[in-house]
Amino acid sequence: MNGPIHSSLISDPDYWELVSEFVSNVPDRVHMIRKSIEERDTKQLCTLIHQLKGACGSYGFHEVTPLAASLEGEIRKGTDIALLVDSIEAFIQMCLRMSASPDERQ
């Protein structure tokens, strides 16, 4: 398991609260992604990953966005979800490593 992923904004006190709120909502987003996979709802899955891609970039988690962009592209191409499950799970695990803990500021 890799360590936490920190926002590039984490050292800026003006953004820390926003980043913290975003990170606290990630488990709910992950739940919705997993539900979309279970329901094989590719439209919803694509929307959720697209939203996370943009949010991760906006909140300074730039290392997460390339995987999100790749997944979004594959889903839009029509790649079967079953073929993407491992990549989606890697993305989920990466998202769950995002941290805004003040004790971990860079």
Side-chain angles (χ1 to χ4, degrees), residues 3 17 53 83:
E17 189 173 324
K53 177 185 74 174
L83 299 174

Side-chain angles (χ1 to χ4, degrees), residues 6-95:
H6 297 284
S7 167
S8 61
L9 305 173
I10 201 164
S11 61
D12 187 332
D14 294 333
Y15 289 100
W16 181 82
E17 189 173 324
L18 293 171
V19 172
S20 182
E21 185 176 333
F22 167 70
V23 169
S24 72
N25 290 316
V26 168
D28 291 336
R29 291 176 183 239
V30 164
H31 173 75
M32 292 171 26
I33 288 171
R34 287 187 169 138
K35 185 176 179 191
S36 295
I37 293 169
E38 288 172 15
E39 295 174 355
R40 299 191 57 77
D41 186 342
T42 55
K43 183 177 179 181
Q44 178 69 8
L45 179 61
C46 192
T47 297
L48 292 167
I49 290 175
H50 174 80
Q51 289 171 346
L52 258 174
K53 177 185 74 174
C56 287
S58 296
Y59 288 101
F61 294 101
H62 303 293
E63 66 189 276
V64 179
T65 56
L67 183 51
S70 175
L71 287 171
E72 180 184 6
E74 288 297 320
I75 294 166
R76 288 189 190 278
K77 272 191 335 192
T79 303
D80 191 301
I81 291 176
L83 299 174
L84 298 174
V85 169
D86 289 342
S87 295
I88 294 169
E89 187 58 33
F91 172 68
I92 286 171
Q93 292 307 311
M94 197 174 214
C95 289

